[in-house]
Amino acid sequence: NMKGLTYWLRNKMYIALTNECNSLSPIALRGPSFIMPSESQFQPLDREPTPQEIFDAVNKAFDEGNIRVSSMNSDEVTFAGAGEPLLRLDTLVESSKLIKLTRHGLPLRLKTNGLVSGNNREQVINLLKEAEIDMISISLLVDNPTDYKKMMMPASGLGFADVCSFIVSCAENDFDVTCTAVEKPGIKIDSVRALAFSLGARNFVTSSYHP
Protein backbone atom coordinates (compact mmCIF):
# COMPACT_ATOMS: atom_id res chain seq x y z
CA ASN A 1 0.00 0.00 0.00
CA MET A 2 1.51 3.28 -1.13
CA LYS A 3 2.47 5.70 1.64
CA GLY A 4 0.03 8.60 1.97
CA LEU A 5 -2.22 7.60 -0.94
CA THR A 6 -5.36 7.14 1.15
CA TYR A 7 -6.61 8.32 4.54
CA TRP A 8 -9.92 8.21 6.37
CA LEU A 9 -12.01 10.94 8.02
CA ARG A 10 -15.38 10.10 9.63
CA ASN A 11 -15.17 6.65 8.01
CA LYS A 12 -14.97 8.16 4.52
CA MET A 13 -12.11 7.52 2.13
CA TYR A 14 -9.84 10.35 0.98
CA ILE A 15 -7.31 10.11 -1.85
CA ALA A 16 -4.19 12.26 -2.12
CA LEU A 17 -2.92 13.17 -5.59
CA THR A 18 -0.01 15.48 -4.76
CA ASN A 19 1.80 17.40 -2.01
CA GLU A 20 2.20 20.37 -4.39
CA CYS A 21 0.25 23.56 -3.74
CA ASN A 22 -0.41 26.82 -5.59
CA SER A 23 -1.43 28.56 -2.37
CA LEU A 24 -1.23 28.01 1.37
CA SER A 25 -1.85 24.29 1.90
CA PRO A 26 -5.21 23.02 3.17
CA ILE A 27 -3.56 21.93 6.43
CA ALA A 28 -1.74 25.23 6.97
CA LEU A 29 -5.06 27.06 6.51
CA ARG A 30 -6.37 25.37 9.65
CA GLY A 31 -3.76 27.18 11.75
CA PRO A 32 -0.21 26.60 13.05
CA SER A 33 -1.18 24.06 15.73
CA PHE A 34 -3.54 21.97 13.57
CA ILE A 35 -2.63 18.35 12.96
CA MET A 36 -4.63 15.69 11.17
CA PRO A 37 -6.20 13.17 13.58
CA SER A 38 -3.87 10.20 14.05
CA GLU A 39 -6.65 7.67 13.40
CA SER A 40 -7.00 9.15 9.89
CA GLN A 41 -3.62 7.58 9.00
CA PHE A 42 -2.92 10.73 7.03
CA GLN A 43 0.66 11.30 5.86
CA PRO A 44 2.22 13.21 2.97
CA LEU A 45 2.81 11.23 -0.23
CA ASP A 46 6.32 9.97 -0.86
CA ARG A 47 5.57 10.11 -4.61
CA GLU A 48 2.60 10.94 -6.82
CA PRO A 49 0.24 8.05 -7.60
CA THR A 50 -0.81 6.75 -11.01
CA PRO A 51 -4.48 6.44 -11.99
CA GLN A 52 -4.14 2.64 -11.74
CA GLU A 53 -2.82 2.85 -8.17
CA ILE A 54 -5.76 5.06 -7.19
CA PHE A 55 -8.22 2.69 -8.88
CA ASP A 56 -6.64 -0.31 -7.10
CA ALA A 57 -6.87 1.44 -3.71
CA VAL A 58 -10.59 2.13 -4.21
CA ASN A 59 -11.24 -1.47 -5.25
CA LYS A 60 -9.32 -2.73 -2.22
CA ALA A 61 -11.46 -0.55 0.06
CA PHE A 62 -14.59 -2.03 -1.55
CA ASP A 63 -13.27 -5.57 -1.16
CA GLU A 64 -12.53 -4.94 2.52
CA GLY A 65 -16.04 -3.57 3.09
CA ASN A 66 -14.85 -0.04 3.89
CA ILE A 67 -16.92 1.63 1.17
CA ARG A 68 -20.64 1.00 0.91
CA VAL A 69 -22.82 1.98 -2.03
CA SER A 70 -26.59 1.56 -1.99
CA SER A 71 -29.57 3.20 -3.66
CA MET A 72 -30.39 4.92 -0.37
CA ASN A 73 -27.05 6.17 0.84
CA SER A 74 -23.51 5.91 -0.46
CA ASP A 75 -20.09 6.65 0.98
CA GLU A 76 -18.41 9.24 -1.22
CA VAL A 77 -14.71 9.12 -2.05
CA THR A 78 -12.90 12.48 -1.92
CA PHE A 79 -9.85 13.69 -3.84
CA ALA A 80 -8.01 15.93 -1.38
CA GLY A 81 -4.67 15.48 0.42
CA ALA A 82 -1.80 17.71 1.51
CA GLY A 83 -1.71 19.53 -1.83
CA GLU A 84 -4.04 20.86 -4.54
CA PRO A 85 -5.66 18.02 -6.54
CA LEU A 86 -6.28 20.20 -9.62
CA LEU A 87 -2.50 20.41 -10.10
CA ARG A 88 -2.80 16.74 -11.09
CA LEU A 89 -5.87 17.17 -13.25
CA ASP A 90 -4.90 14.42 -15.73
CA THR A 91 -4.49 11.86 -12.95
CA LEU A 92 -7.72 13.02 -11.30
CA VAL A 93 -9.68 12.61 -14.55
CA GLU A 94 -8.13 9.27 -15.54
CA SER A 95 -8.60 7.70 -12.10
CA SER A 96 -12.17 9.00 -11.81
CA LYS A 97 -13.05 7.50 -15.17
CA LEU A 98 -11.60 4.12 -14.14
CA ILE A 99 -13.53 4.22 -10.87
CA LYS A 100 -16.83 5.25 -12.49
CA LEU A 101 -16.58 2.51 -15.15
CA THR A 102 -16.81 -0.19 -12.48
CA ARG A 103 -18.40 1.67 -9.57
CA HIS A 104 -20.83 4.04 -11.29
CA GLY A 105 -22.94 4.37 -8.12
CA LEU A 106 -19.99 5.73 -6.13
CA PRO A 107 -20.16 9.50 -5.58
CA LEU A 108 -16.83 11.26 -6.18
CA ARG A 109 -15.95 14.54 -4.52
CA LEU A 110 -13.15 17.01 -5.17
CA LYS A 111 -11.76 19.33 -2.50
CA THR A 112 -10.01 22.29 -4.13
CA ASN A 113 -8.91 25.87 -3.58
CA GLY A 114 -10.63 26.75 -6.88
CA LEU A 115 -7.64 28.75 -8.12
CA VAL A 116 -8.27 28.23 -11.81
CA SER A 117 -7.45 30.96 -14.33
CA GLY A 118 -10.11 32.37 -16.63
CA ASN A 119 -8.30 30.92 -19.67
CA ASN A 120 -8.45 27.40 -18.25
CA ARG A 121 -11.80 27.48 -16.48
CA GLU A 122 -13.98 26.03 -19.23
CA GLN A 123 -11.50 23.26 -20.01
CA VAL A 124 -11.18 22.29 -16.33
CA ILE A 125 -14.98 22.23 -15.89
CA ASN A 126 -15.39 20.08 -19.01
CA LEU A 127 -12.77 17.61 -17.80
CA LEU A 128 -14.40 17.37 -14.36
CA LYS A 129 -17.74 16.67 -16.09
CA GLU A 130 -16.08 14.02 -18.25
CA ALA A 131 -14.61 12.50 -15.08
CA GLU A 132 -18.13 12.38 -13.57
CA ILE A 133 -17.10 14.23 -10.42
CA ASP A 134 -20.32 14.72 -8.45
CA MET A 135 -19.43 17.13 -5.68
CA ILE A 136 -16.93 19.96 -5.48
CA SER A 137 -15.86 21.56 -2.21
CA ILE A 138 -14.17 24.94 -2.73
CA SER A 139 -12.24 27.05 -0.18
CA LEU A 140 -13.85 30.50 -0.32
CA LEU A 141 -12.52 31.55 3.12
CA VAL A 142 -13.30 35.27 3.07
CA ASP A 143 -15.53 37.86 1.40
CA ASN A 144 -12.96 40.17 -0.24
CA PRO A 145 -9.80 40.06 -2.39
CA THR A 146 -7.45 41.75 0.10
CA ASP A 147 -8.10 39.34 2.96
CA TYR A 148 -8.04 36.44 0.51
CA LYS A 149 -4.55 37.29 -0.72
CA LYS A 150 -3.32 37.69 2.86
CA MET A 151 -4.81 34.42 4.09
CA MET A 152 -4.41 32.17 1.05
CA MET A 153 -1.18 33.52 -0.45
CA PRO A 154 -2.09 32.34 -3.96
CA ALA A 155 0.64 31.82 -6.54
CA SER A 156 1.08 32.99 -10.10
CA GLY A 157 -1.32 35.89 -10.48
CA LEU A 158 -4.41 33.97 -9.36
CA GLY A 159 -6.76 35.35 -6.74
CA PHE A 160 -10.16 35.82 -5.19
CA ALA A 161 -11.95 36.72 -8.44
CA ASP A 162 -10.75 33.45 -10.03
CA VAL A 163 -12.16 31.42 -7.13
CA CYS A 164 -15.51 33.26 -7.26
CA SER A 165 -15.76 32.70 -11.03
CA PHE A 166 -14.87 29.02 -10.60
CA ILE A 167 -17.63 28.60 -8.00
CA VAL A 168 -20.16 30.21 -10.38
CA SER A 169 -19.06 27.96 -13.28
CA CYS A 170 -19.23 24.80 -11.14
CA ALA A 171 -22.72 25.71 -9.93
CA GLU A 172 -23.92 26.56 -13.47
CA ASN A 173 -22.65 23.17 -14.65
CA ASP A 174 -24.74 21.35 -12.01
CA PHE A 175 -21.96 20.20 -9.73
CA ASP A 176 -23.06 19.92 -6.11
CA VAL A 177 -20.95 22.82 -4.76
CA THR A 178 -20.01 23.36 -1.14
CA CYS A 179 -18.01 26.42 -0.13
CA THR A 180 -15.79 26.22 2.92
CA ALA A 181 -14.28 28.68 5.38
CA VAL A 182 -12.11 28.49 8.48
CA GLU A 183 -13.30 30.09 11.73
CA LYS A 184 -10.23 32.28 12.06
CA PRO A 185 -10.62 35.34 14.31
CA GLY A 186 -11.60 38.40 12.30
CA ILE A 187 -13.32 36.53 9.48
CA LYS A 188 -16.93 37.55 8.96
CA ILE A 189 -18.37 34.08 8.52
CA ASP A 190 -21.91 35.36 7.93
CA SER A 191 -20.85 37.44 4.96
CA VAL A 192 -18.70 34.61 3.55
CA ARG A 193 -21.75 32.35 3.79
CA ALA A 194 -23.94 34.95 2.06
CA LEU A 195 -21.37 35.30 -0.72
CA ALA A 196 -21.10 31.51 -1.14
CA PHE A 197 -24.85 31.15 -1.66
CA SER A 198 -24.99 34.17 -3.99
CA LEU A 199 -22.31 32.50 -6.17
CA GLY A 200 -24.45 29.37 -6.43
CA ALA A 201 -23.11 27.06 -3.71
CA ARG A 202 -25.62 24.57 -2.32
CA ASN A 203 -23.85 24.20 1.02
CA PHE A 204 -21.53 26.16 3.27
CA VAL A 205 -19.30 24.48 5.85
CA THR A 206 -16.81 25.93 8.34
CA SER A 207 -13.82 24.28 10.02
CA SER A 208 -12.17 25.14 13.32
CA TYR A 209 -9.02 27.28 13.45
CA HIS A 210 -6.06 26.18 15.57
CA PRO A 211 -3.79 29.11 16.58
Side-chain angles (χ1 to χ4, degrees), residues 12-82:
K12 301 282 175 74
M13 185 181 195
Y14 285 69
I15 295 170
L17 297 180
T18 184
N19 297 332
E20 297 284 309
C21 286
N22 54 357
S23 68
L24 202 64
S25 76
I27 291 174
L29 277 174
R30 298 291 303 277
S33 72
F34 177 75
I35 46 170
M36 293 288 277
S38 59
E39 66 273 16
S40 70
Q41 297 170 344
F42 173 84
Q43 52 185 337
L45 289 161
D46 52 6
R47 61 178 176 80
E48 298 192 330
T50 65
Q52 188 64 46
E53 285 172 319
I54 293 164
F55 178 60
D56 291 344
V58 170
N59 281 335
K60 183 168 176 272
F62 265 101
D63 293 342
E64 292 172 356
N66 293 325
I67 303 177
R68 285 170 305 280
V69 171
S70 73
S71 55
M72 297 303 291
N73 191 12
S74 296
D75 294 334
E76 77 276 1
V77 168
T78 301
F79 292 100

Side-chain angles (χ1 to χ4, degrees), residues 104-195:
H104 49 253
L106 176 67
L108 295 178
R109 183 166 79 115
L110 165 67
K111 271 182 83 72
T112 176
N113 59 22
L115 285 166
V116 176
S117 73
N119 305 337
N120 297 337
R121 194 179 310 124
E122 197 175 338
Q123 185 200 1
V124 170
I125 295 276
N126 286 337
L127 285 168
L128 293 174
K129 276 162 97 166
E130 204 181 296
E132 297 181 65
I133 297 290
D134 302 282
M135 296 168 274
I136 303 180
S137 174
I138 303 166
S139 300
L140 181 58
L141 300 174
V142 294
D143 64 352
N144 69 85
T146 310
D147 285 345
Y148 183 85
K149 196 168 185 176
K150 212 183 298 177
M151 185 169 175
M152 195 56 155
M153 299 190 282
S156 61
L158 294 165
F160 187 66
D162 298 297
V163 176
C164 292
S165 299
F166 186 68
I167 293 166
V168 169
S169 293
C170 288
E172 283 174 350
N173 283 278
D174 292 326
F175 291 103
D176 183 345
V177 177
T178 296
C179 286
T180 63
V182 177
E183 293 162 3
K184 192 177 182 180
I187 288 176
K188 300 186 273 302
I189 292 291
D190 286 347
S191 78
V192 185
R193 180 188 290 109
L195 175 61

